[in-house]
Every structure is written in C-alpha cells, then in structure tokens.
Amino acid sequence: MKSEKLYAYVNQELTPAEEEQLEKELRTNAELRRLFSELCIHDFIVAEAYQSGAIKPRLSEPSLPKLKQKSPNFNQSPKSPLSQTSWGLIAASVLLFIGLSIYTSVGFKETVPSNRVVSRIVKAGPNVRIAQVDKKITVTGPIDIHEQDRILVPEGSFALIKYSDGSLIKLRDRTLLQLKGGAGGKHALLTTGKLSAKIAPQPKDKIMTFSTPHGEIDIVGTEFDIHAHIQRGTYVHLFQGKVSFRNYNDNSVIQLNNSEWAMIAPNTSFTPYLGNAYRYKDGETLRASKQAEWITVNTTTQTTLDAAGTALTKISLQSSERGTASINLPSLSQLSAKAIVIEFECRTDEPGTELGRRIIATTPPNKMLNPDPRLLQLYKTVSTAKLGKWIRNRYEVAYGSKEFPGWFHMNLFENGRLVISQWEEGTPDQFQILLTHGNILVRNVRVLELVEDPIESK
Amino acid sequence: MSVEPNEFANRCNEYRRILLCYAYTCCKSYVLAEEIVQDALVIAHNKREFYFPEADLKIWLISLVRNVWFRERKRQMKDKERRVRLFEEDPTLLFDFEGKTTQTETQHQVLKKCLEKLDEDDLSIIECHYLRNLKYNEIASLMQRTVSWAKMRMVRARMALFNCVKMNLQKLEI
C-alpha cells in the first residue's frame, strides 16, 4: 500500500493534505525514504529502457489496446440510432427470443448479431489480424468480417475491405478498425490509424458513419481519407462528394465539400476548416490551403540585442493581409543566451482566425534528436470569445550557446512534422508569425534573451 | 579556478544518468527530462569557472537540474497553484543518489524478463505509459475501459514489475 501511495505522490495524484501527511512520514521514516528512492529509480529505468530502444515494444501501436469484446464506445459515444429506451426494448426482445428458441429448439447462436457478416477482407498484407469474440485469426486470404471483429493492421502492412455494395476501405498500416452493420446503416470505429475509402452511394436513411475518438463523419457516398491519432486528433481529407464532420467535444458540425479537409484536435471546441485536400500518386495525402498562402507582409525588421543581453528590441508590425510577419534574429551562436523568448500581441475581428508560428532557428545537435514535444503545436486559433481584444502570446523559441561547436537549422512544424534542413553557417535565425485564415493585427513584438542563471538567482 | 573544458565535460557526463533520473522523477517525461538535464549541463559548462573542485560536483549539478526544472515547472503551471513537493525542494533528502543507476545492461535484461511475464493487459498499460506517455484517460479511451480501471491496473502492473525487477536484481546481488 505504501508503494502505491508513493507512486501516487510522484504522479501528483494525492491531494495537498495527503501529500503533506506523506511527506511528514518520509521525513521521519528512513525505510520509506529508501523505498521512495527505489521506486523512482525503477520508474526511470523502465522509461529509459523504452525510450532508448533498449527494450522493444512487444505490442505494435495498433494492437496496444487489448482486444476486449465490449461495446465499442469511445469517451464520447458515437451516434447511435437507438435510444436507451430502445435498448431496453431490445433486451426484452432478446430474452423473449431466447425463450422461444429454447422452446422451439432453434439454436440461437447463429442469430446473435455479433456473428453477422458485415463485409469482407479481399486483400491483405502480412500479419493482418482479426480479433473475434473468442479467438484471433491471422489473415491469409479473403475472409468475412463479422460485426464484433476488430481488424489490426501492423506496421508495413495493409488490408482492403469490400462491402457487398462495392464500397471499398483500404486500411493503412498501424490501424485498428471495427466494422458494424445494423438497421441505421454501416458504422466503422477507427480507434487509431489511417484509412482511405471510396463509398458507394448509400440510402439516405442509412448513411454510413465513421467514428474516431474525437469526432464522427457521416457519409452518403464519397471518396476520402481519415487519419486518427489519439493525441494529434482526427483529419479528414475529402476528394469527392460531401461529408459532415461532427466534433464530439462541442457537437459542432461542419460540412466538407469536394477537395477539402478538416481537422479536430483533441479536447478543442472548435473545428477549424482549413482548405483544399490533394492526394499524391502514392496515395499519401497532402494538406494545403488556398487561404493559407504564406505571403510576406511588411518589411522584415532586423533586431539587435545589446551586449548585456537583457535589453529588448521592440518591433511594431501591423497587417490586415494574410501572410507572415518575419523577425530576423541575430545568429544565436553569437550570443550566450540560454533561450530566446518571443512575445507579441495579436487581435482579430474575424471568428475562426488562425495564427501559426514557424521558427527557423539554431539548436544544438543533441536537441535536434530530441525535439521538445511542446513545440509541435502548429496553429493557435484565436478564440471567438476574445474577438477584438489584444491577446498576448509568448513563445520560447530556441536554445543556444556559443559553446556548441556545430549548429543546425531546424524548420519546425511543416505539416506538423519536424523538418531539419541542412546546416548553413551564417543564416540568420528567424521567427515567423503566420496568418493562415482570417485577419489579424500584430503589434508589440519583442525579443527577449533569457539570461536567467539558476546559480546567480540563488 | 579554471577547469579544463574536456575534463569538466567528462566529469559532468558521469552523472548524466543520475541527473536524468531525478529530472524524470520531477517531470515524468523522459524527453523533457533530457531537455532539462541538457540545459543544466549547458549552464554548468558556461559556469564551470565558478565551480570549486573541492565541492561535490554531483550535488551542484543536481541543484542546477532542480533550478531548470523549477523554471520549466513555472512555465507549465502558469496560473495554476501547486505545492512544491519534498523531493523537488530537497532532492538529497528523498533521493538515494548512491542508488543503483549504473548497471544499465543488467537492469535492462532483468526488466525484459519481467516484462515477458506480464499479461497483455498489463503490458499494454506499461507500454502506453512509459513508451507513449499517455495519460490515464487516454489509456482508458484506447483500451475502451474506464479511467478508474486504467488507474487501478496501472498501479498493479507497475508494482508487479517493480517487485519482479527488485527480486531478480537481488538474486544477482547487484
């Protein structure tokens, strides 16, 4: 029990009062302190073993969830055509049916909905697995998919699913999907991964629904890609037709038309609509936006930091055009700064305005290998509640020290990925404010060299 | 007193794993812990002139890591209030820095054996937590279970792993 409490303590799961109580005990109990130390070291060793690759994950990403045959609900349950009352009626009907089955000696196993064939895998790559109620099957050839089955596509593989109406779904690697049929129409639960689909026209009263942990997409008949990631969100790329995309978080719905894409980030109340979708020849999708062309506005202003390193350079930028405002920073290798902080204020009068930032900055080589995950946030949506108000933004953008012999240039956030360009000596570091949608005013940009030194501050 | 940069860097690197262990305990993110330690080592490198050879380098470095963590913690907390925990305030009181943080390979071998003994549920939870840094609600959502189930299962899996590793390391007399 003590160990559990100590774990909870380190993980900040105790209340302040419980924490204080435990700390009292820790101060006086040497044995408890020793246990605490052991737990911390053990915890670190496990994390280190996984993160350093010393221990390979036994389960690949899509197979991480244990294959429970429970009702496939996410946090927010997908749209169900049946109300709770209806479920009660169904339960009663099932009981009645079982009674009748026994009475008439009809085996009820064949009539359980979970055994109904909903579609068929017609082609699959290596090691694709189907998890059924009582067993797991590795797909070696065409095979029927039943209602409760889950399809697991490991890394480097794929699976092609075909419905009787000709609709096709191609599951890409590292994907977990469950298909359902039913009176309300076809339903697919994409827990994680990526799929491309070409859905034949569906009856109006039986539209097909795709659910992800973040939202739900209603399909009448169209061609599209969905990419769901538990932490990054759900992307929908539409190539043909129309779909509606509902955000579970606030129940807002947007309609996507031909060649558009949209994204729901986890726990956001706004579904940004960002523009056109394209598909590469190899099937990979590319996000682009007519509304997000990067046009340089205003003149680039050279900033200087004084020798003391604490002086700030103020730049005022104003733009009502879409585009970027760039600030050139002196090369960090010329400074002894530990970090550079960029601050600016922005204001918009248009709902849904999106502001992004891009950093082209130097960083020590070992930082390059371990990019800070906090920096992988690409866009900041200016909330509608703050329309017309100046919002202060603060970003810590780079670390640097002249002590490091080599410098790399990083171009963060290209399509949400980290792109490292080649090292170019003497290229100025640059911070760009990007306006991708809407209108914006930017003012009071200032650059702050962090010279905070823990030793001196002590 | 001047210290040779290379010699100083080598001495600092000897303690890197201990520093990582402490930073990880504070922030519970391996990637962030590496960032914190790296920043602390950069500061140490820049301030090596101020280090007295007779002082305990390990303790000096740990206090640098603590200060960098406090800066990060402040940034993370923003407006939220959270009390400073005892091991954050005084790392040396709770943390046994003489502990077994050096025999990496043996530890990893033992850990591997113990992980093999876990059932698939426990292993999933361990991998979600340590490899993918998922939170309870994310694990619960991924495994289609309740958050309280994920919490309870996580505690059990961790304790089972901890006890198994401890027992096996004791057998090897490490």
Side-chain angles (χ1 to χ4, degrees):
Chain A
M1 281 307 282
K2 279 286 171 209
S3 310
E4 289 171 18
K5 208 160 191 183
L6 287 172
Y7 261 133
Y9 170 58
V10 177
N11 289 334
Q12 298 167 23
E13 289 160 11
L14 296 181
T15 62
E18 285 173 328
E19 277 189 3
E20 276 179 39
Q21 178 62 34
L22 185 67
E23 284 177 358
K24 264 184 197 170
E25 282 183 57
L26 280 165
R27 281 198 175 92
T28 54
N29 187 339
E31 186 60 24
L32 197 61
R33 283 204 298 273
R34 194 187 53 76
L35 180 62
F36 174 84
S37 185
E38 279 180 5
L39 282 170
C40 290
I41 291 169
H42 165 77
D43 217 25
F44 165 72
I45 289 167
V46 182
E48 180 196 47
Y50 273 118
Q51 297 286 342
S52 65
I55 289 182
K56 303 277 178 227
R58 200 168 76 191
L59 305 169
S60 58
E61 190 171 353
S63 60
L64 265 175
K66 176 86 164 67
L67 310 166
K68 297 292 169 201
Q69 299 308 324
K70 287 180 67 184
S71 150
N73 288 336
F74 293 113
N75 273 348
Q76 300 87 353
S77 61
K79 191 174 84 178
S80 165
L82 301 166
S83 66
Q84 278 190 334
T85 323
S86 311
W87 279 115
L89 289 172
I90 288 175
S93 315
V94 169
L95 283 173
L96 181 66
F97 178 76
I98 291 170
L100 284 172
S101 302
I102 293 166
Y103 180 73
T104 57
S105 302
V106 176
F108 86 99
K109 207 171 182 180
E110 285 175 13
T111 57
V112 170
S114 64
N115 267 356
R116 189 172 54 206
V117 173
V118 286
S119 61
R120 188 173 169 81
I121 291 183
V122 289
K123 205 172 174 184
N127 301 321
V128 172
R129 288 190 298 160
I130 296 178
Q132 293 183 340
V133 177
D134 51 353
K135 61 186 176 194
K136 291 176 193 169
I137 303 165
T138 302
V139 178
T140 51
I143 186 169
D144 287 341
I145 304 167
H146 300 84
E147 191 161 5
Q148 293 293 325
D149 294 355
R150 284 156 184 268
I151 307 154
L152 305 157
V153 184
E155 193 160 357
S157 194
F158 74 96
L160 188 64
I161 297 165
K162 193 172 183 179
Y163 282 90
S164 55
D165 64 1
S167 298
L168 287 170
I169 300 176
K170 184 174 181 181
L171 305 184
R172 299 185 184 279
D173 65 349
R174 292 186 291 174
T175 295
L176 173 61
L177 183 85
Q178 183 178 19
L179 296 174
K180 289 174 77 180
K186 300 183 185 79
H187 187 191
L189 292 162
L190 178 65
T191 307
T192 182
K194 196 171 177 181
L195 63 81
S196 299
K198 200 171 180 178
I199 305 298
Q202 304 292 303
K204 277 189 180 172
D205 57 335
K206 288 186 178 181
I207 55 170
M208 184 168 185
T209 308
F210 282 79
S211 302
T212 74
H214 317 99
E216 189 175 283
I217 305 109
D218 287 343
I219 315 288
V220 178
T222 183
E223 191 181 339
F224 59 93
D225 286 0
I226 305 175
H227 188 181
H229 189 283
I230 198 99
Q231 285 165 312
R232 289 180 208 143
T234 296
Y235 289 88
V236 176
H237 301 77
L238 180 66
F239 303 105
Q240 205 179 55
K242 280 183 184 179
V243 299
S244 64
F245 192 9
R246 184 163 69 91
N247 188 344
Y248 281 143
N249 208 47
D250 61 355
N251 270 330
S252 61
V253 179
I254 56 162
Q255 299 290 332
L256 289 183
N257 294 312
N258 214 353
S259 300
E260 290 179 343
W261 72 274
M263 181 271 278
I264 298 174
N267 306 319
T268 53
S269 58
F270 184 70
T271 306
Y273 154 68
L274 286 175
N276 293 359
Y278 301 97
R279 186 181 265 171
Y280 284 131
K281 279 181 185 170
D282 63 1
E284 281 296 306
T285 44
L286 168 72
R287 287 183 283 281
S289 172
K290 277 182 184 171
Q291 294 155 304
E293 287 169 5
W294 290 0
I295 310 154
T296 306
V297 292
N298 287 357
T299 50
T300 303
T301 313
Q302 182 74 42
T303 67
T304 50
L305 298 170
D306 75 0
T310 49
L312 310 174
T313 306
K314 287 188 178 176
I315 312 156
S316 290
L317 299 172
Q318 280 222 327
S319 168
S320 58
E321 297 173 47
R322 296 190 180 95
T324 65
S326 302
I327 304 157
N328 275 342
L329 306 171
S331 175
L332 293 182
S333 56
Q334 302 303 310
L335 301 170
S336 59
K338 313 299 180 299
I340 297 288
V341 174
I342 303 279
E343 287 188 341
F344 62 90
E345 288 179 318
C346 64
R347 194 186 88 178
T348 183
D349 299 314
E350 187 176 321
T353 288
E354 284 213 336
L355 186 68
R357 64 195 193 278
R358 185 170 71 162
I359 302 154
I360 305 168
T362 52
T363 194
N366 42 356
K367 281 227 177 264
M368 179 190 71
L369 297 174
N370 294 302
D372 187 338
R374 289 166 300 159
L375 295 180
L376 295 176
Q377 294 276 345
L378 178 54
Y379 292 109
K380 181 182 176 68
T381 303
V382 180
S383 134
T384 48
K386 290 178 180 172
L387 285 179
K389 287 184 182 171
W390 287 102
I391 302 164
R392 184 120 207 104
N393 292 273
R394 185 186 163 100
Y395 299 121
E396 199 167 299
V397 295
Y399 292 79
S401 164
K402 62 184 175 185
E403 302 295 340
F404 285 91
W407 296 91
F408 286 81
H409 282 258
M410 295 170 76
N411 192 350
L412 297 177
F413 320 135
E414 284 285 351
N415 293 327
R417 293 178 188 168
L418 177 70
V419 179
I420 301 162
S421 60
Q422 65 181 48
W423 175 44
E424 288 175 69
E425 198 171 10
T427 307
D429 303 319
Q430 201 175 65
F431 174 73
Q432 289 183 325
I433 302 163
L434 312 170
L435 182 61
T436 54
H437 176 67
N439 70 53
I440 198 122
L441 296 173
V442 178
R443 72 174 190 190
N444 289 345
V445 182
R446 61 180 199 164
V447 182
L448 167 68
E449 183 192 5
L450 266 194
V451 290
E452 184 187 349
D453 187 325
I455 298 174
E456 283 172 1
S457 64
K458 261 176 100 180
Chain B
M1 184 179 281
S2 110
V3 185
E4 279 296 309
N6 284 343
E7 187 200 332
F8 186 78
N10 289 340
R11 288 192 62 196
C12 286
N13 273 332
E14 284 174 26
Y15 299 116
R16 196 181 175 91
R17 199 154 175 253
I18 290 170
L19 301 178
L20 260 177
C21 183
Y22 173 62
Y24 178 79
T25 306
C26 291
C27 70
K28 286 287 155 205
S29 158
Y30 190 79
V31 176
L32 183 57
E34 282 196 324
E35 296 284 313
I36 290 169
V37 169
Q38 188 182 312
D39 286 357
L41 291 179
V42 169
I43 292 166
H45 197 257
N46 288 341
K47 296 289 172 188
R48 64 183 183 277
E49 303 292 327
F50 298 97
Y51 169 69
F52 296 99
E54 59 270 27
D56 189 336
L57 180 62
K58 186 168 61 182
I59 301 298
W60 185 60
L61 292 173
I62 287 166
S63 59
L64 283 181
V65 169
R66 185 193 61 178
N67 288 332
V68 175
W69 160 240
F70 275 172
R71 192 177 69 187
E72 173 59 29
R73 185 181 182 278
K74 200 175 167 187
R75 203 190 67 80
Q76 282 183 359
M77 288 293 110
K78 291 180 186 161
D79 304 327
K80 285 180 269 178
E81 280 294 320
R82 207 196 76 205
R83 62 189 295 279
V84 176
R85 290 164 295 174
L86 190 59
F87 64 91
E88 290 173 300
E89 188 66 47
D90 185 357
T92 52
L93 180 67
L94 284 186
F95 227 83
D96 175 16
F97 292 107
E98 304 305 327
K100 295 151 184 117
T101 54
T102 46
Q103 297 91 350
T104 322
E105 218 169 280
T106 321
Q107 285 164 344
H108 288 173
Q109 278 173 1
V110 169
L111 181 63
K112 209 172 177 178
K113 276 184 189 170
C114 290
L115 283 168
E116 281 168 7
K117 289 177 189 169
L118 292 181
D119 71 24
E120 203 169 321
D121 258 349
D122 289 343
L123 187 64
S124 297
I125 278 195
I126 290 286
E127 290 190 356
C128 281
H129 176 70
Y130 289 103
L131 185 66
R132 301 178 205 287
N133 245 343
L134 298 186
K135 291 174 183 153
Y136 287 130
N137 60 344
E138 291 165 339
I139 294 171
S141 165
L142 198 65
M143 300 184 76
Q144 296 172 23
R145 295 287 201 158
T146 60
V147 175
S148 55
W149 180 88
K151 271 186 184 175
M152 189 190 68
R153 200 75 196 213
M154 174 78 84
V155 170
R156 285 184 189 170
R158 281 166 120 185
M159 290 318 302
L161 195 61
F162 172 69
N163 290 330
C164 173
V165 170
K166 192 177 171 183
M167 200 176 69
N168 280 286
L169 285 176
Q170 275 170 354
K171 274 184 195 168
L172 292 169
E173 289 180 335
I174 292 171

